[in-house]
Amino acid sequence: MVLTDEQQKMLDGVYGKGASLAMEVQVGIAKCFDAPRMVPIQKVHVSLSAQEADLWFASRLLSAGAVCRISPTVNPGYSVGTFASTLSDTAKTHMERVDQVYRALGATMTYCCTPYLYGNKPRKNEVCAFSETSATIFVNAVLGAKTNRESAASALCAAITGCVPEYGMLFEKNRFGTIAVEVDARLEKEEDFALLGMLGKKIGRGNPVFFGLPPSIPVESLIALGASLNVSGNYDIYAVPGVTPLVRDEKDAFGNKEPLRTVKITQKNLDDLRDKGHPVSGEKISFCILGCPHYTYSQVERVGGLLTKPAAVPIYILTSLEVIEEAEKNGLQDHLYRFGGKLIPHTCVDEVNCWHFLKGMLGVTDSPKAAYYMTSAGVTLTVQDVEQCIHEAIQGKVCE
């Protein structure tokens, strides 16, 4: 591969050991994918897993003198303040150390998995470096920007060097659809789109193009679709003709080629998935968790409208600090709290350190992704639409 003079200086250590280490990692990735060159980027999002290996790598870069050329936003870890009574001293210290290291590197500590809604929104055709399973596919599919599915480490290296290897989703030829997905089912709620995304094994590998979807789809439903696709499979991009950018019709979607295969999704496919593993009616639940990916203000507002009676179990709503500040200003946070709802910032469902107190319990969620991730903490979640989630939280049990 060919490096510019500036990139070669970075690799050679002219700008310090930290920048050299970051570039060395990226050159290694470039060789793996036969990338011809490194290209500049404008925006970065780092998934910040808050795990030991993540902290070790970020700390090594910092101790070598690395500083981010592009300040990245970061994924949620867990809120030390919110979970102070249940976190171990080790867990508190660990999260505080993660925060210190990433701040010192120059990251913007948003702790949100939907950064494109709050200050880090790539423009159409803009090259960027995003990690996080639901964010990368949203950037490619819905915003029309270009990113590969970076890891926490590779995205952090990109923030330090200001460039990425040119391969994969950065080439237009790789962004066309390869699978025609004909959907003959009712898609009315976010849960329906999430369930559609959970059919990745049926859809198979490739770039899916969905036909039969509504002509207008709320952003929350597009987020849910992409998030679930990357739980059930491994997808960089999807398309909905007439909805996602640059895809007006079938001709656009497949780049004037025929799809490699056609897959049909029926209402029965969605219903079977919805009913799979559903608990017996009347079984007690211990909590409700919403916000995977993080809830938008519109979603939080909807919960407020549904929550008109005190809940029998806690309702945990994961969202961004921006949403919480708006909810506080408008009195929505007080309303939720009065009826058992709690807005939680900076936190992901995939953090055993803060959710271990729910181990062995049954809860309800509107997110298949949350149900999948929380099994690592020994937590069982049944998936319902948000209306049913709130109804069951009020009743304290699984309902018909």
Side-chain angles (χ1 to χ4, degrees), residues 306-351:
L306 294 168
L307 198 54
T308 57
K309 297 178 181 179
V313 299
I315 301 173
Y316 305 112
I317 307 168
L318 312 185
T319 188
S320 68
L321 191 59
E322 288 86 351
V323 167
I324 292 176
E325 289 173 348
E326 187 174 356
E328 182 179 16
K329 181 177 63 177
N330 296 334
L332 178 56
Q333 185 178 40
D334 288 341
H335 169 81
L336 291 167
Y337 185 77
R338 190 161 57 248
F339 290 107
K342 186 171 186 178
L343 295 174
I344 299 177
H346 299 171
T347 302
C348 178
V349 298
D350 192 24
E351 290 291 348

Side-chain angles (χ1 to χ4, degrees), residues 179-188 192-193 195-197 199 202-203 208-214 217 225 229 239-241 262-270:
I179 312 164
V181 184
E182 298 178 356
V183 181
D184 182 16
R186 297 185 305 277
L187 296 174
E188 300 168 347
D192 299 327
F193 286 86
L195 288 172
L196 175 61
L199 292 169
K202 183 175 177 63
I203 294 169
V209 180
F210 293 95
F211 298 94
L213 273 58
I217 303 174
L225 173 59
L229 280 169
V240 183
T262 298
V263 177
K264 294 188 177 182
I265 304 294
T266 66
Q267 186 64 49
K268 186 177 186 303
N269 293 141
L270 296 187

